[in-house]
């Protein structure tokens, strides 16, 4: 196989791996209402399981660049697929809270060691050298992979036998099928320097805080729709449908991916401010949907939240990238940014789950909606205040 063909094959293999790894981490979101109805997991345990993923992800994320430099992309991707297969199998065959925690931690390890390295490889391997197209491919792989997984999981659980096992078997097959092409990946290796720890130099601290707040908020909204909201929606339904709650969970990421495609030319500052406003609107709709128990309003809040997530995350990432473009400590700053993102995924969902043990899950989701509104307004005001101060200076 010639060099160009091998590069192209490696490029598409990396995209496929990124997509299926994200599917493996979110397929359970479509089945959570079933676990709740079968009394396998409580609402709080569901958020604990969801957040356990972060426990495996963040530590490995911090050393992922060093591991890739030392052992090469091919080795990292193969081990990520193996960890994902093990984690998914433990969840599917275990079926208890403890097995869920262990499986989710292993899934977090898989994504932690691979996500940044796959993103960098996609940029490096893009056949025409178009970095914008590569960045878009990475974003779509993550959002569409993460978004369709709950719907697929719910549909399989709804209409096929062994509903708490079959969705995971399908994902295991997808992951296993990627092992063989992964052995043919171009194996990038560099001099393995010391492990890079997150840090934010003073010159970019303001831009970092702006972007980190926005990313934390955007991903906390997504995490809520992937963990607690499906269970709450299922409690409002007269039937035992799993697909409707899964659509609410998955739509937010799918719409986010589409939004980022169409907003590529938008000014980062405009995208960020618009995203904050739209996330606040999505939170209001979520509260109204919970109070009225109207599924249509909750689904609408998921769509609006996806638009807000796409704009906010796109704007925040571009603002930070522009600030660190000439900085030597780019890797350290991006590591800190990723920590903020995944804290947004885990911490608010866990807090809502804990709150749901004292009050109803529906009221806990409403409280989260109020948190989103307050943080969106805070972030927007802080951003505009900084912009005014910079214009005066």
């Amino acid at each position: 196989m010639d060099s160009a063909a091998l590069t192209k094959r490696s490029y598409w293999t990396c995209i496929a791996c990124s997509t299926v790894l994200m599917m493996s981490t979110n397929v359970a979101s479509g089945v959570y209402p079933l676990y709740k109805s079968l009394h396998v997991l409580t609402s709080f345990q569901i958020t604990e399981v969801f957040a356990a993923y972060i426990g495996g992800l963040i530590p490995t994320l911090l050393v992922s660049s060093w591991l890739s430099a030392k052992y090469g992309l091919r080795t990292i991707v193969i081990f990520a697929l193996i960890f994902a297969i093990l984690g998914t199998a433990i969840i599917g065959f275990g079926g208890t809270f403890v097995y869920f925690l262990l499986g989710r931690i292993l899934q977090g390890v898989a994504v932690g060691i691979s996500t940044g390295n796959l993103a960098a490889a996609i940029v490096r391997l893009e056949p025409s050298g178009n970095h914008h197209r590569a960045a878009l491919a990475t974003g779509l792989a993550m959002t569409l992979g993460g978004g369709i997984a709950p719907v697929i999981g719910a549909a399989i659980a709804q209409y096929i036998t062994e509903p708490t096992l079959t969705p995971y078997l399908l994902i295991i097959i997808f992951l296993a099928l990627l092992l063989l092409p992964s052995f043919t990946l171009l194996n990038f290796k560099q001099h393995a320097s010391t492990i890079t720890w997150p840090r934010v130099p003073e010159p970019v601290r303001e831009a970092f805080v702006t972007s980190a707040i926005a990313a934390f908020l955007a991903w906390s909204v997504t995490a809520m729709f992937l963990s607690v909201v499906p269970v709450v929606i299922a409690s409002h339904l007269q039937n035992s449908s799993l697909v409707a709650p899964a659509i609410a969970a998955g739509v937010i990421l799918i719409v986010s991916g589409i939004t980022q495609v169409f907003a590529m030319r938008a000014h980062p500052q405009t995208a960020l401010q618009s995203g904050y406003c739209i996330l606040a609107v999505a939170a209001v709709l979520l509260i109204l949907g919970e109070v009225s128990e109207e599924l249509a309003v909750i689904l609408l809040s998921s769509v609006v939240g996806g638009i807000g997530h796409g704009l906010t995350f796109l704007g925040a990432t571009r603002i930070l990238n522009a600030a660190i473009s000439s900085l030597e400590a780019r890797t350290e700053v991006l590591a800190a940014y990723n920590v903020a993102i995944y804290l947004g995924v885990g911490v608010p969902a866990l807090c809502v789950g804990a709150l749901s043990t004292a009050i109803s899950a529906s009221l806990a989701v409403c409280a989260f909606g109020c948190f989103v509104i307050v943080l969106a307004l805070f972030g927007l005001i802080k951003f505009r205040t900084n912009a005014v101060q910079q214009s005066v200076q």
Side-chain angles (χ1 to χ4, degrees):
M1 186 179 295
D2 61 60
S3 177
L6 184 58
T7 297
K8 189 172 183 179
R9 179 172 177 173
S10 294
Y11 173 75
W12 286 108
T13 299
C14 287
I15 291 176
C17 288
S18 183
T19 302
V20 177
L21 282 168
M22 289 306 297
M23 289 178 67
S24 71
T25 66
N26 287 335
V27 67
S29 294
V31 196
Y32 283 149
L34 181 60
Y35 291 121
K36 178 73 166 16
S37 66
L38 294 175
H39 304 290
V40 175
L41 297 173
T42 66
S43 295
F44 183 39
Q45 286 177 328
I46 287 172
T47 58
E48 286 182 293
V49 163
F50 189 84
Y53 163 73
I54 309 304
L57 188 149
I58 289 180
T60 50
L61 180 69
L62 298 179
V63 298
S64 61
S65 296
W66 176 80
L67 289 172
S68 180
K70 185 174 179 64
Y71 299 106
L73 176 69
R74 184 190 306 153
T75 304
I76 292 299
V77 172
I78 289 170
F79 272 95
L81 292 172
I82 291 171
F83 279 125
I85 289 171
L86 289 174
T88 306
I90 288 170
I91 292 173
F93 287 98
T96 65
F97 177 59
V98 173
Y99 284 116
F100 260 104
L101 288 177
L102 178 58
R104 288 290 287 173
I105 290 171
L106 287 174
Q107 287 181 334
V109 171
V111 173
I113 63 174
S114 64
T115 182
N117 292 314
L118 282 170
I122 290 169
V123 172
R124 185 170 181 174
L125 294 167
E126 209 286 324
S128 60
N130 189 325
H131 289 185
H132 292 296
R133 187 184 301 162
L136 180 60
T138 301
L140 288 177
M142 294 181 67
T143 54
L144 296 183
I148 64 174
V151 181
I152 291 174
I156 292 173
Q158 183 79 46
Y159 300 112
I160 298 179
T161 57
E162 299 293 337
T164 59
L165 175 60
T166 311
Y168 305 106
L169 288 179
L170 179 64
I171 297 298
I172 289 170
I173 291 171
F174 287 164
L175 290 165
L177 288 173
L178 287 171
L179 277 172
L180 185 59
S182 296
F183 276 96
T184 66
L185 280 172
L186 291 172
N187 201 32
F188 304 125
K189 275 189 179 182
Q190 302 172 10
H191 173 67
S193 58
T194 57
I195 296 174
T196 299
W197 299 106
R199 69 183 180 93
V200 183
E202 181 63 34
V204 298
R205 195 159 293 170
E206 189 174 290
F208 173 82
V209 171
T210 296
S211 297
I213 291 173
F216 178 94
L217 176 63
W219 282 99
S220 70
V221 172
T222 301
M224 196 57 50
F225 275 92
L226 288 169
S227 56
V228 179
V229 170
V231 175
V232 176
I233 291 176
S235 69
H236 296 333
L237 297 175
Q238 299 298 320
N239 54 43
S240 58
S241 172
L242 295 175
V243 177
I247 290 173
V251 157
I252 189 167
L253 278 174
I254 295 172
V255 172
S256 173
I258 295 171
T259 299
Q260 291 180 58
V261 172
F262 287 101
M264 284 292 288
R265 297 182 182 276
H267 197 276
Q269 284 76 8
T270 303
L272 180 63
Q273 293 178 83
S274 301
Y276 270 137
C277 295
I278 295 171
L279 284 176
V281 172
V284 172
L285 289 171
L286 180 60
I287 294 170
L288 292 176
E290 289 296 336
V291 172
S292 63
E293 298 187 2
E294 286 290 338
L295 177 60
V297 179
I298 298 175
L299 289 174
L300 179 60
S301 73
S302 181
V303 173
V304 175
I307 297 171
H309 176 276
L311 290 172
T312 305
F313 186 55
L314 181 68
T317 304
R318 286 189 167 182
I319 287 170
L320 185 61
N321 283 341
I324 66 174
S325 60
S326 59
L327 197 69
E328 288 186 7
R330 285 192 302 273
T331 304
E332 293 94 324
V333 176
L334 287 175
Y337 184 57
N338 282 322
V339 170
I341 289 171
Y342 287 110
L343 286 176
V345 171
V347 174
L350 190 61
C351 291
V352 170
L355 187 60
S356 68
T357 62
I359 59 178
S360 69
S362 184
L363 284 177
V365 170
C366 290
F368 171 75
C370 294
F371 163 78
V372 171
I373 294 169
V374 171
L375 188 55
L377 290 175
F378 170 79
L380 182 61
I381 292 170
K382 180 176 176 56
F383 176 78
R384 294 183 67 88
T385 301
N386 289 343
V388 170
Q389 290 175 345
Q390 288 175 2
S391 65
V392 170
Q393 292 172 356

